Amino acid sequence: MTSESLDLSLPTSALLRAATAAAHQSAETSAGAKGLLGGRLPKEEYTKFLFIIWHLYDTLETALDTHASHPAIAPIYNPTILRRTDSLSADIAFFLGANSSNPAVWQQHPQYVSFLPFPAPVQTYLSRITSIASSPTEVHRLVAHAYVRYLGDLSGGQFIKRIVSKAYNLEDGEGTSFFEFARLGGPAGGDHAASGDIIKLKQWFREGMDAGVRDDAEKRATVEEANLVFKYNENLFELLNVPEGEADHHPKIRVPGAKCPRQVVGSGKESLVRFVDWARREISLRASVIPASVVLVGLSYLALRSLKAIQIL
């Protein structure tokens, strides 16, 4: 979608979804992203991934704190719920076996030291955040960075949490606190958000973007920045070394002749069609190879609504 073809009458959240779809798909189909989603990253590579996103969040959240009262930032600013830096530190300390989640401690670990200096794609990404945060006329572009990171964590991140837990044999939430969010309106350190709470969080965030970015020029700039951020993330995934020839940890169901998930369902099963539409939006499934877990969730969705005579596959 070109800048000229943008439908600026759309609210910012809808505009971003439509205008970044291609960039989003490109990022999520990179080799590193497939390795992460397939549970095939060696533990050392996953830990390196945590190093990278810790620095991204540390830089982004510092910028958001600085500009918390900016008209575009204020509606989506809620560090009690969204802040990821501390939880990432805890996960990194767990994977490194460090005795403290204090960055000053785990950054002395040999594995982290070997990660330095920052690879060029990491430095480019960090420098971009710092640059727009230091320019009064560009601060609204931080919304695009928050959009890509936080909505990704609230959507696909919940799916990745299960993959990470299985891939590294994790129990009782150890090593996955990054994927846990507090409930909207709940106290800091309170109960973790359940699936219904996650939906409310995403809706709150989208409404915040719509309220904060309303000017046409700012909408164009936010879309432009979001596409750039997806490209930055694609470059980050290229830094991850994925073993070749390994099968995904998650079983697949191959559907002969299917070009998209919608073709898996029978024409009369409207509820499952709605589920597939949701899955394609939230997890961005576009292949004919569909994770079995997704199909099972869909079947559960139907069963809970007492639908009978399911004919699939």
Side-chain angles (χ1 to χ4, degrees):
M1 182 177 293
T2 64
S3 176
E4 292 74 17
S5 65
L6 294 177
D7 182 358
L8 297 174
S9 67
L10 292 172
T12 300
S13 58
L15 182 63
L16 280 169
R17 171 174 284 180
T20 64
H24 187 180
Q25 183 177 13
S26 180
E28 70 188 7
T29 54
S30 62
K34 287 181 178 179
L36 176 62
L37 293 171
R40 294 186 290 121
L41 289 182
K43 186 178 292 187
E44 294 75 13
E45 289 300 302
Y46 180 69
T47 306
K48 180 171 74 174
F49 174 69
L50 295 181
F51 294 159
I52 292 170
I53 59 176
W54 183 88
H55 281 285
L56 294 178
Y57 276 107
D58 185 47
T59 304
L60 175 60
E61 290 173 349
T62 297
L64 294 175
D65 289 344
T66 300
H67 298 288
S69 62
H70 187 281
I73 305 300
I76 61 169
Y77 183 74
N78 191 332
T80 299
I81 292 177
L82 295 178
R83 191 178 302 280
R84 300 291 89 196
T85 311
D86 293 342
S87 56
L88 277 166
S89 263
D91 291 346
I92 290 170
F94 169 80
F95 279 103
L96 292 178
N99 58 14
S100 172
S101 61
N102 187 330
V105 175
W106 57 256
Q107 287 180 2
Q108 302 302 314
H109 192 280
Q111 187 177 338
Y112 177 80
V113 173
S114 68
F115 167 70
L116 302 176
F118 293 144
V122 177
Q123 188 58 63
T124 298
Y125 198 157
L126 298 178
S127 296
R128 179 60 182 174
I129 296 173
T130 302
S131 174
I132 61 177
S134 62
S135 174
T137 61
E138 299 290 319
V139 170
H140 57 276
R141 287 176 177 263
L142 289 173
V143 172
H145 290 262
Y147 164 74
V148 174
R149 293 251 53 99
Y150 290 128
L151 272 190
D153 300 336
L154 286 165
S155 300
Q158 304 307 300
F159 179 66
I160 295 172
K161 175 186 174 182
R162 294 189 289 274
I163 294 174
V164 169
S165 296
K166 183 173 181 179
Y168 308 121
N169 299 312
L170 306 180
E171 298 179 355
D172 302 323
E174 57 186 6
T176 58
S177 59
F178 165 62
F179 302 106
E180 300 288 358
F181 287 82
R183 297 170 58 190
L184 188 62
D191 293 339
H192 293 153
S195 58
D197 300 310
I198 293 292
I199 292 172
K200 292 177 182 177
L201 277 172
K202 291 192 291 185
Q203 184 61 30
W204 164 81
F205 191 89
R206 291 181 181 120
E207 290 173 353
M209 290 194 299
D210 295 343
V213 181
R214 305 180 64 165
D215 174 82
D216 284 0
E218 289 192 350
K219 284 184 178 181
R220 287 185 187 277
T222 303
V223 167
E224 178 184 69
E225 192 71 22
N227 278 302
L228 184 62
V229 176
F230 276 118
K231 182 60 179 177
Y232 285 157
N233 278 276
E234 184 175 350
N235 293 340
L236 295 183
F237 280 125
E238 295 301 326
L239 297 174
L240 303 178
N241 297 311
V242 183
E244 296 182 0
E246 290 188 12
D248 286 357
H249 286 241
H250 298 274
K252 307 290 184 181
I253 295 175
R254 292 187 178 273
V255 186
K259 296 181 180 179
C260 68
R262 183 186 295 276
Q263 294 183 4
V264 177
V265 302
S267 59
K269 302 299 178 289
E270 295 182 359
S271 292
L272 189 51
V273 170
R274 288 197 298 271
F275 165 75
V276 173
D277 284 341
W278 169 85
R280 187 159 52 181
R281 289 196 309 272
E282 299 299 329
I283 310 174
S284 297
L285 296 171
R286 293 180 175 85
S288 61
V289 181
I290 303 171
S293 58
V294 171
V295 174
L296 291 175
V297 171
L299 295 177
S300 298
Y301 174 87
L302 290 175
L304 288 172
R305 286 157 178 75
S306 301
L307 295 178
K308 299 179 181 180
I310 300 172
Q311 297 177 354
I312 177 174
L313 304 183

